[in-house]
Amino acid sequence: MLSQHEYGAEKSRNFEAMRAGTAPTDRRAGPQIEIRPSPSLRLGDKAPDFIQDSTRGPIHLYEWMAESWAVLFSHPSDFTPVCTTELGMVARLKPEFDKRNVKAIGLSVDPLSYHDMWARDIAETQGVELNFPLLADADRKVALLYDMIHPNSHATETVRSVFIIDPTKTVRLTHTYPASTGRNFDEVLRVIDSLQLTDDLQVATPVNWKLGDDVVILTSVRNQEADKLFPQGYRELKPYLRITPQPNK
Ligand code: BEZ
């Protein structure tokens, strides 16, 4: 078995080789697995359920979520620098996720023994314990279910996918980032704020909206109804563009 640092360095070399168009040499990967084509999940699809090992023991997604929202996010590999900072950030943001009734769950296609070693590095370098489960998807079961392996990017490893799943187990957001770009988890929280607000009220959130900013009234709401629904009033810039203070502020 490679030491963790050799392993991390080899992973980074493989990614860089992929990006440079030369063949990677992943000594750990062993025989190539066959990647079954799986259709991409779209907004409004049911999030596939699964049972998989994690740093918190086996996780059955639907049972683990119960009545919560979930943010399921994948990253290419353990012992890689960008992922280390992302996992530290998600751990630091736990109070923000809790406030919104959201559970975070990470995934990479590495085994539990690596995750456990890496969790110690995360605590040491990011100053925070890994306080949410990290799926050890060594058999790539979840990665395939969620179409997290993009062969044009890397044949056997997950890209940086994010899925926001609501309590009815419906996929509400998907996004995919390149391996070399760390994600912005403030944006993930911002989308959750928008979804939770617009699920309850007849509004949508405009460009760069943040919690507390003005919102726009859905075009399906007629002015007569808007007068009742939005007692704080609204500015009508166009019949289809009516701006009102965030109602439940
Ligand atoms: C990283 O996670 O640190 C990483 C992965 C692939 C390419 C570059 C960085």
Side-chain angles (χ1 to χ4, degrees):
M1 189 159 102
L2 297 177
S3 80
Q4 67 184 75
H5 293 115
E6 288 165 342
Y7 177 65
E10 177 146 324
K11 286 294 184 122
S12 296
R13 277 195 297 274
N14 285 343
F15 274 113
E16 279 155 27
M18 280 294 290
R19 289 159 82 201
T22 56
T25 55
D26 187 345
R27 280 191 274 137
R28 185 196 59 98
Q32 289 292 300
I33 58 151
E34 187 200 342
I35 299 175
R36 282 176 283 112
S38 63
S40 294
L41 287 172
R42 283 160 304 190
L43 304 189
D45 285 347
K46 208 66 172 166
D49 198 12
F50 58 78
I51 299 176
Q52 184 57 291
D53 282 342
S54 85
T55 48
R56 300 281 169 109
I59 297 249
H60 178 175
L61 180 74
Y62 281 16
E63 272 179 19
W64 173 80
M65 282 179 66
E67 303 304 315
S68 300
W69 292 65
V71 172
L72 167 63
F73 64 102
S74 59
H75 49 84
S77 184
D78 291 7
F79 307 113
T80 46
V82 175
C83 307
T84 304
T85 62
E86 287 187 326
L87 293 182
M89 179 54 74
V90 174
R92 271 194 295 281
L93 287 174
K94 186 169 185 332
E96 294 300 320
F97 286 115
D98 288 348
K99 248 196 268 177
R100 294 162 174 82
N101 187 30
V102 178
K103 293 180 174 176
I105 183 164
L107 174 149
S108 77
V109 290
D110 286 313
L112 207 45
S113 54
Y114 284 119
H115 282 7
D116 289 338
M117 282 193 284
W118 192 30
R120 290 197 284 275
D121 287 358
I122 291 165
E124 182 189 322
T125 62
Q126 307 302 303
V128 61
E129 294 289 329
L130 196 64
N131 51 17
F132 58 91
L134 192 52
L135 293 167
D137 196 38
D139 62 4
R140 295 160 167 85
K141 179 167 62 186
V142 181
L144 290 171
L145 269 178
Y146 279 79
D147 193 25
M148 291 166 167
I149 294 175
H150 294 196
N152 290 343
S153 172
H154 194 286
T156 54
E157 281 156 4
T158 42
V159 290
R160 275 183 219 291
S161 299
V162 180
F163 298 88
I164 296 178
I165 305 169
D166 75 14
T168 71
K169 318 298 185 284
T170 301
V171 174
R172 303 296 301 276
L173 167 136
T174 66
H175 76 209
T176 306
Y177 270 48
S180 52
T181 305
R183 284 160 288 201
N184 183 337
F185 283 91
D186 288 337
E187 170 63 3
V188 173
L189 287 170
R190 192 187 76 89
V191 175
I192 292 165
D193 285 338
S194 172
L195 289 170
Q196 293 185 344
L197 182 79
T198 58
D199 276 356
D200 290 341
L201 300 167
Q202 309 249 47
V203 296
T205 59
V207 61
N208 288 358
W209 174 88
K210 301 184 299 316
L211 201 60
D213 288 352
D214 289 352
V215 298
V216 295
I217 299 173
L218 294 186
T219 50
S220 54
V221 178
R222 295 189 180 280
N223 279 356
Q224 218 179 5
E225 200 188 344
D227 294 338
K228 291 195 204 109
L229 289 174
F230 305 102
Q232 298 183 77
Y234 54 88
R235 281 180 293 131
E236 183 171 322
L237 304 184
K238 292 282 172 193
Y240 59 84
L241 179 55
R242 293 164 298 170
I243 298 171
T244 188
Q246 183 186 306
N248 59 357
K249 209 154 79 174

